[in-house]
Amino acid sequence: MLSQYMEEFEQEPFEVGEFIERLTWRTNNELQNTEDFSPVALHDTFIQTIKDLKILQEKQQSKCERLEESLRQEKETHAKKIAKLQERHQTAIDWFSQLDEKINSVAGKIMHLGEQLENVNTPRSRSVEAQKLLNFMAEFLAAGPVIVNDIFADAARLSEAADVIQKLYAISQDLPPGNFAESKRKIEKKYDEVERRLIEEFATAQKSEDIDRMKTLAQILSQFKGYTQCVDAYIEQSQMQPYSGKDIFIGIVPLCKHHYEIIQKVFANPQQVMSKFILNIYQLKLHQYAMTKLEDKKDEEKYLRTLYELYSRTLKLSTDLQVYMSTIDDDLLQKLTQQIFIKHLAGYTEMETKCLTAKCSSELEKFYASKKHQKTQTTKGFRRNMEVLIATRANINIAAIEDYGGETFLSEELAINMLQEAKASLKRCRLLSSEADLPSNAIRLNDILLRFLMHEHVDYALEVGLQAVPLAEGRIFPQLYFFDVVQKTNIIVHLLDKLCNTSVIPCVSNTPKYSDYVFKKRILMDQIETKLDQGLDRSISAVIGWVKVYLQYEQKKTDYKPETDVDTISSAACLQVVQSLQPVIVQIKKCVDGENLQNVLTEFGTRLHRVIYDHLQTMQFNTAGAMCAICDVNEYRKCIRDLDSPLVTQLFDILHALCNLLLVKPQNLQEVCTGDTLNYLDKSVVRQFIQLRTDFRIIKNTNYLKGIIE
């Protein structure tokens, strides 16, 4: 049991309550043959378990004491070992200190000896060097041709020869010119020869990319007056191969990156060499490339695209190469770019405006040619007003309305083409114009766009559309195309606004030209709005005028005053009017948008209500006719629901309530007139409708109308 207890105690985590529960459970299982619970057996089990646990505790306590004693002895042993190690370590430190003192003493003596040797050797070395130079100088001072020394003839000793001739050249500069002119000439000749050989050797090393040899030769040549020739030779040879086929820009950045790493390793002044390297690219390679690409100005559009592409790619190239330039040359690349394109930028504005004008004009001409239409001077308002006046007074048309078969002469495709051309021009303008000229140039381009797109295209189409609107009060249902003109005009104006917001306003904002731009645009939009309003008004008048004339001629008196009982249905004239108006409402909702849509629908509904109201005022109604009138008004109410206008709905609800006055019994007139719908109306309006009843003369003198007709 003790081993079992140990297994349970060693479990993690150990719970006393669970241990007792398990002990109880085992005891009960052992007594499973007994039906009743035996507390005595459980008590005995607990007593025995307690005795076992005490025995186990004593064993564990004895084991702990033995382990503690073993640990104490081991601790003492290790402490003795550490003490011995510390003594040995201290001894090693003492020996190291003594050794360090001896090394310092020996080093001091060696340094002193070295200084003494150097003091003795330096004058000797200088003397040997001076002797060598004097020997070489003697050869150049001797009369006759110079005897070629081995040092100058041996290619392997070129570095040594360079050192000698450079020093001789420096000495010769201090010699008086009289007696030593010939000697100086010989030295200079040899100096140039060695310098040329060094440069040739440098070029050879460059071809094989021998960086160490190039660095050595560059250091030697840095003492020569032709050091710049070495740099020029390196640049010329590096840029000799084409950069990347026909497109020069692709290979420039990788080329500069590659040679920048070499220049840093080879030259003592890498920033200056790299600046000259890039300068050579701009002044020779890029300049020649740009001149070749831009020499043909016959195709102006292609020329402008090429100029924009070259200039933008050059600016990007300058940004990419700025990392290789020194801080002193921050604006050098910008100046080089301006030098390359200055001649082309000077005449850019005139060419851009000329090109945009030509493109817009060409687009317009192609559009009207595709329509087989010849633009003419549109008839202004005076003639139109005279036609309306004569038609109204004499009931005749003096001229037929030309509607061009429903052609609006507005093209979204044409507008998009013009806007794309203008967008491209404005994009080039933002890049190629100077900061001072940008607002003015942007305004000029915008004026060209407004001239061709809005004045010569949209405004002309509006004028033609206005003249094509049928005259009001015709007996034939009018063909209305002006709503399509409104729809296309709105689309074009939205496209124009989008372009202006993205391409024009950023060029002129925060400048004096912004107010000029806003003023011109407001004037233009006001003109467009005025003509749109005028056309919509004429179109609505044409439809409502037709309704008026149609009802006047087609609505029979017997519709509302039948002599015999008839089926209560809407009149044929009403049904025809409703059937004709529904497509018009659909067309208006399709072609007009925004706040204008609600205004147009409301105006349309109020005018329709006025015509129907006035038309009913011309009729007499008996009971069966009143039922027909109510059916007609209900048809009109169904029709105007699509207008979504609370005002118009209210007007027709009132008209319906007024028509009920024609139907109700005389004794109920007072109740209907004081209802929620008619109570606030002017009594004269109510009285006028009651007077339309055929029995009005009978009920006039009764009490049924008391308070209504008084």
Side-chain angles (χ1 to χ4, degrees), residues 136 139 147-158 160-161 197:
F136 285 117
E139 295 181 7
I147 300 174
V148 179
N149 195 289
D150 291 342
I151 193 174
F152 295 109
D154 190 354
R157 302 176 66 185
L158 181 60
E160 186 179 352
R197 288 169 58 192

PDB file of all heavy atoms in Angstrom, residues 136 139 147-158 160-161 197:
ATOM      1  N   PHE A 136      69.508  61.057 -63.746  1.00  0.00           N
ATOM      2  CA  PHE A 136      68.532  61.214 -64.837  1.00  0.00           C
ATOM      3  C   PHE A 136      68.564  62.633 -65.390  1.00  0.00           C
ATOM      4  O   PHE A 136      68.472  62.845 -66.610  1.00  0.00           O
ATOM      5  CB  PHE A 136      67.121  60.878 -64.341  1.00  0.00           C
ATOM      6  CG  PHE A 136      66.875  59.410 -64.158  1.00  0.00           C
ATOM      7  CD1 PHE A 136      66.597  58.871 -62.898  1.00  0.00           C
ATOM      8  CD2 PHE A 136      66.920  58.542 -65.238  1.00  0.00           C
ATOM      9  CE1 PHE A 136      66.372  57.530 -62.735  1.00  0.00           C
ATOM     10  CE2 PHE A 136      66.700  57.189 -65.069  1.00  0.00           C
ATOM     11  CZ  PHE A 136      66.420  56.671 -63.820  1.00  0.00           C
ATOM     12  N   GLU A 139      71.314  63.205 -67.847  1.00  0.00           N
ATOM     13  CA  GLU A 139      71.040  62.721 -69.197  1.00  0.00           C
ATOM     14  C   GLU A 139      70.252  63.742 -70.009  1.00  0.00           C
ATOM     15  O   GLU A 139      70.479  63.918 -71.208  1.00  0.00           O
ATOM     16  CB  GLU A 139      70.270  61.407 -69.124  1.00  0.00           C
ATOM     17  CG  GLU A 139      71.057  60.259 -68.497  1.00  0.00           C
ATOM     18  CD  GLU A 139      70.257  58.966 -68.468  1.00  0.00           C
ATOM     19  OE1 GLU A 139      69.144  58.963 -69.064  1.00  0.00           O
ATOM     20  OE2 GLU A 139      70.717  57.990 -67.854  1.00  0.00           O
ATOM     21  N   ILE A 147      69.534  59.768 -74.292  1.00  0.00           N
ATOM     22  CA  ILE A 147      69.796  58.329 -74.303  1.00  0.00           C
ATOM     23  C   ILE A 147      68.692  57.654 -73.503  1.00  0.00           C
ATOM     24  O   ILE A 147      68.473  57.970 -72.328  1.00  0.00           O
ATOM     25  CB  ILE A 147      71.174  58.028 -73.695  1.00  0.00           C
ATOM     26  CG1 ILE A 147      72.278  58.728 -74.495  1.00  0.00           C
ATOM     27  CG2 ILE A 147      71.414  56.526 -73.655  1.00  0.00           C
ATOM     28  CD1 ILE A 147      73.649  58.597 -73.871  1.00  0.00           C
ATOM     29  N   VAL A 148      67.993  56.758 -74.133  1.00  0.00           N
ATOM     30  CA  VAL A 148      66.846  56.124 -73.477  1.00  0.00           C
ATOM     31  C   VAL A 148      67.337  55.216 -72.359  1.00  0.00           C
ATOM     32  O   VAL A 148      68.075  54.264 -72.604  1.00  0.00           O
ATOM     33  CB  VAL A 148      66.014  55.315 -74.485  1.00  0.00           C
ATOM     34  CG1 VAL A 148      64.832  54.646 -73.771  1.00  0.00           C
ATOM     35  CG2 VAL A 148      65.527  56.218 -75.606  1.00  0.00           C
ATOM     36  N   ASN A 149      66.954  55.542 -71.164  1.00  0.00           N
ATOM     37  CA  ASN A 149      67.304  54.739 -69.998  1.00  0.00           C
ATOM     38  C   ASN A 149      66.392  53.522 -69.917  1.00  0.00           C
ATOM     39  O   ASN A 149      65.268  53.532 -70.411  1.00  0.00           O
ATOM     40  CB  ASN A 149      67.164  55.598 -68.730  1.00  0.00           C
ATOM     41  CG  ASN A 149      67.850  54.958 -67.540  1.00  0.00           C
ATOM     42  OD1 ASN A 149      67.373  53.952 -67.032  1.00  0.00           O
ATOM     43  ND2 ASN A 149      68.960  55.544 -67.114  1.00  0.00           N
ATOM     44  N   ASP A 150      66.901  52.489 -69.243  1.00  0.00           N
ATOM     45  CA  ASP A 150      66.110  51.257 -69.117  1.00  0.00           C
ATOM     46  C   ASP A 150      64.765  51.515 -68.447  1.00  0.00           C
ATOM     47  O   ASP A 150      63.761  50.870 -68.767  1.00  0.00           O
ATOM     48  CB  ASP A 150      66.896  50.216 -68.314  1.00  0.00           C
ATOM     49  CG  ASP A 150      68.107  49.707 -69.099  1.00  0.00           C
ATOM     50  OD1 ASP A 150      68.117  49.895 -70.329  1.00  0.00           O
ATOM     51  OD2 ASP A 150      68.999  49.127 -68.465  1.00  0.00           O
ATOM     52  N   ILE A 151      64.764  52.426 -67.504  1.00  0.00           N
ATOM     53  CA  ILE A 151      63.535  52.679 -66.751  1.00  0.00           C
ATOM     54  C   ILE A 151      62.413  53.200 -67.636  1.00  0.00           C
ATOM     55  O   ILE A 151      61.238  52.944 -67.416  1.00  0.00           O
ATOM     56  CB  ILE A 151      63.830  53.662 -65.589  1.00  0.00           C
ATOM     57  CG1 ILE A 151      62.631  53.670 -64.614  1.00  0.00           C
ATOM     58  CG2 ILE A 151      64.098  55.055 -66.119  1.00  0.00           C
ATOM     59  CD1 ILE A 151      62.888  54.498 -63.386  1.00  0.00           C
ATOM     60  N   PHE A 152      62.793  53.955 -68.672  1.00  0.00           N
ATOM     61  CA  PHE A 152      61.779  54.499 -69.585  1.00  0.00           C
ATOM     62  C   PHE A 152      61.436  53.536 -70.719  1.00  0.00           C
ATOM     63  O   PHE A 152      60.392  53.671 -71.355  1.00  0.00           O
ATOM     64  CB  PHE A 152      62.259  55.829 -70.169  1.00  0.00           C
ATOM     65  CG  PHE A 152      62.421  56.911 -69.134  1.00  0.00           C
ATOM     66  CD1 PHE A 152      63.682  57.354 -68.773  1.00  0.00           C
ATOM     67  CD2 PHE A 152      61.310  57.463 -68.509  1.00  0.00           C
ATOM     68  CE1 PHE A 152      63.833  58.349 -67.822  1.00  0.00           C
ATOM     69  CE2 PHE A 152      61.461  58.464 -67.556  1.00  0.00           C
ATOM     70  CZ  PHE A 152      62.725  58.907 -67.201  1.00  0.00           C
ATOM     71  N   ALA A 153      62.291  52.599 -70.971  1.00  0.00           N
ATOM     72  CA  ALA A 153      62.051  51.663 -72.069  1.00  0.00           C
ATOM     73  C   ALA A 153      61.307  50.423 -71.611  1.00  0.00           C
ATOM     74  O   ALA A 153      60.639  49.760 -72.411  1.00  0.00           O
ATOM     75  CB  ALA A 153      63.378  51.260 -72.710  1.00  0.00           C
ATOM     76  N   ASP A 154      61.417  50.085 -70.329  1.00  0.00           N
ATOM     77  CA  ASP A 154      60.811  48.874 -69.798  1.00  0.00           C
ATOM     78  C   ASP A 154      59.355  49.163 -69.433  1.00  0.00           C
ATOM     79  O   ASP A 154      59.069  49.982 -68.544  1.00  0.00           O
ATOM     80  CB  ASP A 154      61.582  48.389 -68.578  1.00  0.00           C
ATOM     81  CG  ASP A 154      61.137  47.003 -68.132  1.00  0.00           C
ATOM     82  OD1 ASP A 154      60.144  46.494 -68.712  1.00  0.00           O
ATOM     83  OD2 ASP A 154      61.756  46.450 -67.208  1.00  0.00           O
ATOM     84  N   ALA A 155      58.427  48.498 -70.117  1.00  0.00           N
ATOM     85  CA  ALA A 155      57.004  48.716 -69.842  1.00  0.00           C
ATOM     86  C   ALA A 155      56.631  48.269 -68.435  1.00  0.00           C
ATOM     87  O   ALA A 155      55.716  48.829 -67.818  1.00  0.00           O
ATOM     88  CB  ALA A 155      56.156  47.969 -70.871  1.00  0.00           C
ATOM     89  N   ALA A 156      57.345  47.278 -67.909  1.00  0.00           N
ATOM     90  CA  ALA A 156      57.030  46.780 -66.567  1.00  0.00           C
ATOM     91  C   ALA A 156      57.391  47.789 -65.495  1.00  0.00           C
ATOM     92  O   ALA A 156      56.894  47.706 -64.366  1.00  0.00           O
ATOM     93  CB  ALA A 156      57.747  45.463 -66.315  1.00  0.00           C
ATOM     94  N   ARG A 157      58.304  48.730 -65.833  1.00  0.00           N
ATOM     95  CA  ARG A 157      58.740  49.742 -64.850  1.00  0.00           C
ATOM     96  C   ARG A 157      58.094  51.095 -65.133  1.00  0.00           C
ATOM     97  O   ARG A 157      58.640  52.140 -64.805  1.00  0.00           O
ATOM     98  CB  ARG A 157      60.261  49.859 -64.888  1.00  0.00           C
ATOM     99  CG  ARG A 157      60.958  48.539 -64.607  1.00  0.00           C
ATOM    100  CD  ARG A 157      62.463  48.663 -64.739  1.00  0.00           C
ATOM    101  NE  ARG A 157      63.026  49.530 -63.726  1.00  0.00           N
ATOM    102  CZ  ARG A 157      64.305  49.909 -63.655  1.00  0.00           C
ATOM    103  NH1 ARG A 157      65.146  49.456 -64.602  1.00  0.00           N
ATOM    104  NH2 ARG A 157      64.746  50.700 -62.702  1.00  0.00           N
ATOM    105  N   LEU A 158      56.885  51.054 -65.715  1.00  0.00           N
ATOM    106  CA  LEU A 158      56.205  52.298 -66.079  1.00  0.00           C
ATOM    107  C   LEU A 158      55.892  53.141 -64.850  1.00  0.00           C
ATOM    108  O   LEU A 158      56.028  54.369 -64.881  1.00  0.00           O
ATOM    109  CB  LEU A 158      54.906  51.971 -66.841  1.00  0.00           C
ATOM    110  CG  LEU A 158      54.075  53.172 -67.314  1.00  0.00           C
ATOM    111  CD1 LEU A 158      54.883  54.053 -68.254  1.00  0.00           C
ATOM    112  CD2 LEU A 158      52.795  52.692 -67.994  1.00  0.00           C
ATOM    113  N   GLU A 160      57.540  53.288 -62.029  1.00  0.00           N
ATOM    114  CA  GLU A 160      58.790  53.901 -61.566  1.00  0.00           C
ATOM    115  C   GLU A 160      59.190  55.044 -62.485  1.00  0.00           C
ATOM    116  O   GLU A 160      59.630  56.109 -62.022  1.00  0.00           O
ATOM    117  CB  GLU A 160      59.886  52.838 -61.516  1.00  0.00           C
ATOM    118  CG  GLU A 160      61.188  53.315 -60.912  1.00  0.00           C
ATOM    119  CD  GLU A 160      62.238  52.215 -60.873  1.00  0.00           C
ATOM    120  OE1 GLU A 160      61.903  51.049 -61.183  1.00  0.00           O
ATOM    121  OE2 GLU A 160      63.400  52.540 -60.523  1.00  0.00           O
ATOM    122  N   ALA A 161      59.035  54.846 -63.793  1.00  0.00           N
ATOM    123  CA  ALA A 161      59.362  55.904 -64.751  1.00  0.00           C
ATOM    124  C   ALA A 161      58.465  57.116 -64.545  1.00  0.00           C
ATOM    125  O   ALA A 161      58.908  58.273 -64.657  1.00  0.00           O
ATOM    126  CB  ALA A 161      59.209  55.370 -66.170  1.00  0.00           C
ATOM    127  N   ARG A 197      51.508  57.044 -72.157  1.00  0.00           N
ATOM    128  CA  ARG A 197      51.591  55.602 -71.910  1.00  0.00           C
ATOM    129  C   ARG A 197      50.737  55.199 -70.705  1.00  0.00           C
ATOM    130  O   ARG A 197      50.091  54.138 -70.701  1.00  0.00           O
ATOM    131  CB  ARG A 197      53.038  55.190 -71.708  1.00  0.00           C
ATOM    132  CG  ARG A 197      53.878  55.215 -72.994  1.00  0.00           C
ATOM    133  CD  ARG A 197      55.369  55.054 -72.667  1.00  0.00           C
ATOM    134  NE  ARG A 197      55.605  53.806 -71.942  1.00  0.00           N
ATOM    135  CZ  ARG A 197      56.757  53.508 -71.330  1.00  0.00           C
ATOM    136  NH1 ARG A 197      57.763  54.383 -71.345  1.00  0.00           N
ATOM    137  NH2 ARG A 197      56.898  52.354 -70.704  1.00  0.00           N
TER     138      ARG A 197
END
